[in-house]
Amino acid sequence: MIWLYPISWDAIGETLAPWVSSYPSLSTPSLEVFSYNGYWLHNTSILIVSAWGLLDSWAVDFWDSANNWTDWGQFIYRDWRKKTITLKGIVKATSWVLLEAKIDEMKWQLDTKNKILRYSSQGKYREINATTSNIIFEREARNITFCPFTITFIANDVYWRDSDSVAITTTWLTANTTVELTNSWNKETFPKFILYVNSWTTASFTITLEGITISYLGSLTAGDVLIIDSKTKTAYLNSVVVDYTGPCPIFTSWPNIVTFWFGAWTFNIDINCIFTKNFL
């Protein structure tokens, strides 16, 4: 069965300043400054004047996912949906020859896959991994010093994210502990848990988030570092991939009550939780 989902073209920058829809104006650039794989799409030669795209994530998306509560940590259904980002702009130069050279440069710089598309607005930086899908240059014979263009990207992630991650550290745990970890931003995020074992006498470690449990059942000794990465759905012990049971946890936009349970008689653990701030 093929599931069809509507695609919303709401502005991707709605949580900041709105996009400027002035295309093809030569004098009013977008309020956002874009770059892709380190190549700036905002300089004396290139102006982005409008941008839109990336699916709108309704509240129903979370509760009615393909997995529903059976495998809450996977969100497989999100990968079925098209995630398009479109930029319209102007490339300009002082002569036809230089204009053609600039167009060739843009084609070469943007012809790549799974790189970081980034924009800044009002001092904030947000980014998403994306792949260039199409570049169209709308040449006209009478326009020898400028050329409108349209660039289409396919996002490889679900959400835009802040370029800086959030890190929350709990140190010197010597007993099973329940803590509240707040993701007070727009959308769900995939945490990474890093355990530093200071001392340990038996085995196993469990994370429970809102009734969903993930466990590592192997042995741990002093000096071990255990990483559980929800985004890649992988666990590492001292940089070696290890098995785990249960779905990976996902932080929602409301407070997340997390219980760390250790199957040990005595232990001393430091836990570092790292996650990104995600936005539409």
Side-chain angles (χ1 to χ4, degrees):
M1 179 180 293
I2 298 177
W3 292 89
L4 299 178
Y5 293 91
I7 298 175
S8 171
W9 289 94
D10 293 343
I12 56 179
E14 61 188 355
T15 54
L16 296 176
W19 300 112
V20 174
S21 299
S22 56
Y23 174 80
S25 168
L26 290 174
S27 59
T28 309
S30 167
L31 294 178
E32 285 72 27
V33 178
F34 288 87
S35 67
Y36 181 64
N37 194 29
Y39 179 67
W40 286 98
L41 297 170
H42 181 88
N43 50 48
T44 56
S45 300
I46 304 173
L47 292 177
I48 299 297
V49 294
S50 66
W52 68 90
L54 195 62
L55 64 88
D56 180 30
S57 182
W58 303 330
V60 70
D61 286 350
F62 175 75
W63 298 107
D64 293 343
S65 69
N67 302 294
N68 215 349
W69 283 92
T70 304
D71 193 1
W72 182 62
Q74 305 304 314
F75 282 138
I76 293 176
Y77 90 109
R78 290 192 182 279
D79 292 331
W80 301 348
R81 299 180 65 175
K82 188 176 182 180
K83 299 181 283 290
T84 304
I85 302 168
T86 302
L87 308 181
K88 284 184 177 290
I90 300 288
V91 55
K92 56 184 180 178
T94 56
S95 69
W96 176 82
V97 173
L98 293 177
L99 179 64
E100 289 300 312
K102 195 65 180 179
I103 289 173
D104 289 341
E105 175 189 294
M106 289 181 66
K107 290 179 179 178
W108 183 79
Q109 291 283 357
L110 297 173
D111 184 19
T112 187
K113 298 179 180 179
N114 196 28
K115 301 298 182 181
I116 293 178
L117 175 64
R118 176 177 292 172
Y119 77 91
S120 64
S121 179
Q122 301 178 7
K124 297 180 181 294
Y125 291 85
R126 292 184 180 171
E127 62 189 31
I128 195 168
N129 283 65
T131 295
T132 305
S133 174
N134 196 17
I135 308 175
I136 299 174
F137 291 93
E138 302 169 29
R139 288 183 172 89
E140 294 186 16
R142 65 179 183 274
N143 297 336
I144 62 174
T145 59
F146 72 92
C147 180
F149 63 81
T150 302
I151 308 171
T152 303
F153 298 96
I154 302 298
N156 299 326
D157 290 329
V158 176
Y159 299 124
W160 292 91
R161 61 183 180 268
D162 266 9
S163 55
D164 295 326
S165 297
V166 176
I168 300 174
T169 302
T170 303
T171 60
W172 295 98
L173 290 178
T174 58
N176 297 330
T177 302
T178 297
V179 296
E180 178 181 300
L181 301 178
T182 300
N183 171 28
S184 56
W185 295 277
N186 262 10
K187 293 299 176 181
E188 305 88 35
T189 186
F190 301 88
K192 177 190 291 185
F193 295 94
I194 306 175
L195 280 75
Y196 301 93
V197 182
N198 301 316
S199 64
W200 193 272
T201 58
T202 60
S204 79
F205 168 69
T206 296
I207 300 172
T208 300
L209 171 61
E210 302 298 338
I212 306 299
T213 297
I214 180 173
S215 300
Y216 168 72
L217 302 177
S219 60
L220 293 169
T221 59
D224 283 344
V225 178
L226 176 66
I227 299 175
I228 297 177
D229 191 333
S230 296
K231 186 175 179 63
T232 62
K233 301 175 180 63
T234 308
Y236 303 89
L237 178 61
N238 302 327
S239 302
V240 177
V241 175
V242 293
D243 292 332
Y244 63 89
T245 62
C248 289
I250 291 179
F251 283 174
T252 61
S253 56
W254 54 79
N256 299 270
I257 308 302
V258 183
T259 298
F260 301 115
W261 186 88
F262 308 93
W265 293 108
T266 60
F267 57 86
N268 188 302
I269 301 289
D270 295 341
I271 298 179
N272 194 11
C273 178
I274 301 173
F275 57 93
T276 60
K277 295 182 285 185
N278 292 341
F279 305 86
L280 288 178

